[in-house]
Amino acid sequence: MTSSSQVPNSDVKDLNLAPAGRKRIEWAEREMPVLRMIRERFERERPLDGMKLVACCHITTETANLARALKAAGADAVLIASNPLSTQDDVAAALVAEYGIPVYAIKGESTDTYRAHVKMALDTKPNLIIDDGSDVVATMVKEYPELMDTIVGSTEETTTGLVRLRALEKSGRMSWPAIAVNDAQTKHFFDNRYGTGQSTLDGVIRATNILIAGRTLVVVGYGWCGKGIAMRGRGLGANVIVCEVNPIRAIEAVMDGFRVMPMDEAASLGDIFITVTGNRFVIDGRHFEKMRDGALVANSGHFDVELNLVALAEMSEEREQLRPFVEEYKVKKTGNRVIVLGEGRLINLAAAEGHPASVMDMSFANQALSCEYLIKNKGQLAPGLHLLPEEVDTEIASIKLAAMGIEIDTLSPDMIEYMNTWEAGT
Ligand SMILES: NC(=O)c1ccc[n+]([C@@H]2O[C@H](COP(=O)([O-])OP(=O)(O)OC[C@H]3O[C@@H](n4cnc5c(N)ncnc54)[C@H](O)[C@@H]3O)[C@@H](O)[C@H]2O)c1
């Protein structure tokens, strides 16, 4: 444990939780061989020496292992939560007391506290920002514009954060380079699909202990996350309906064997609803009104805007907290009860532990290497969004495969030649 004189300033629930948090962080590390290799190299090479870094992430065991790698690289890192409900308090305590990394995050913190933590982090005048949802970057642009000229770069973890960054780039106000970590293949193919697929259902099950088999599960949004939830829902025996607005993704869902229909129709059929669109009010008042008695509604998209809970509250006569993360609303007009999980915040992090470490291994390898890439290329990258070079993506996949003990074929010189010719044909 860090001696009391070395315990950094922090705002966490209870430092006495640190030993339990450390055990869980070490448990996650066993499933993160790629990040461990990066940390060991960072310890030798110190690529982030002297850099001030703010990481706004879900404070989980996996994030703790990312923070350890950043510290090993020489960064002076401060961690804050990227969602008021996603912090694991024992992990936050361990980061502070056992690893000497400042953390400002408490599970269940108010929106005001959450925002105050974002500002405290920006007050440290970071050189690098790791963002998850772009709240830190948006606050920087609005309230700390002077940092926009001094920052070396930022990284963005999730789809929703990139939607915001693309809008910012389009407005001409993005004056620094940012790495679109979510767009790396070793991130969204795996984290969004297999991570969200498993952990979202884990969140629903841990909150309610219901049987999924035989239920009608409505998945709203058939992007990378929606595909994973629909696939795993079917695996657990649910009858899956998909709602989409994108015709191509809708056809994909049809050909994957799911029923596809508008939300107005699905509303009266579903037993469980899960939104993963990154969009606002995809389940609205008129949908809640059509739902069966006892319908369960959850969100796994980044922000708590996908369910219109203000409308649901206005149209309900009673509200009751039945279990942690399970709140029942009684709709006045129909008398039906609609059950909202995790206050409409990402259910996999509110009621479960987020993605398993094995999948975050690749996502956070991307984060760690993106920070190194930004520093190595300081002053040479144009302002705006960038991808990590493809060879880095491929290298992460190769290390992961090797860690899994899986070998694959390689191209022979003849194959390479064939793939590069236009002359060979029938
Ligand atoms: N819970 C988690 O741990 C976790 C992990 C990764 C991403 N996310 C978040 O999940 C959300 C989805 O991410 P993704 O990578 O799947 O994005 P994506 O862009 O691949 O997919 C979103 C899909 O939703 C559809 N959509 C948009 N509005 C809709 C509407 N009104 N009705 C039906 N469909 C609609 C889009 O057409 C798109 O196909 C984002 O907010 C992302 O940040 C959460």
Side-chain angles (χ1 to χ4, degrees), residues 58 132-133 157-161 163 182 187-188 191-193 195-196 199-200 219-227 243-247 249 263 275-282 299-303 306 346-349 354-355:
H58 304 298
D132 186 343
E157 170 77 5
T158 199
T159 317
T160 283
V163 170
N182 183 72
K187 201 283 186 179
H188 67 275
D191 168 320
N192 300 30
R193 182 167 35 177
T196 315
S199 64
T200 297
V219 179
V220 192
Y222 201 66
W224 291 103
C225 296
K227 289 184 220 293
C243 300
E244 245 302 336
V245 292
N246 177 324
R249 288 196 155 165
M263 188 62 210
T275 54
V276 257
T277 66
N279 208 344
R280 182 159 51 191
F281 299 163
V282 298
N299 167 51
S300 209
H302 188 79
F303 287 119
E306 305 215 10
L346 354 89
I347 191 63
N348 59 337
L349 283 139
H355 295 359

Side-chain angles (χ1 to χ4, degrees), residues 178-190:
I179 308 287
V181 168
N182 183 72
D183 287 355
Q185 298 183 71
T186 45
K187 201 283 186 179
H188 67 275
F189 283 0
F190 303 98

Side-chain angles (χ1 to χ4, degrees), residues 40 125 168 240 246:
E40 286 164 2
K125 300 190 175 30
L168 185 67
V240 178
N246 177 324

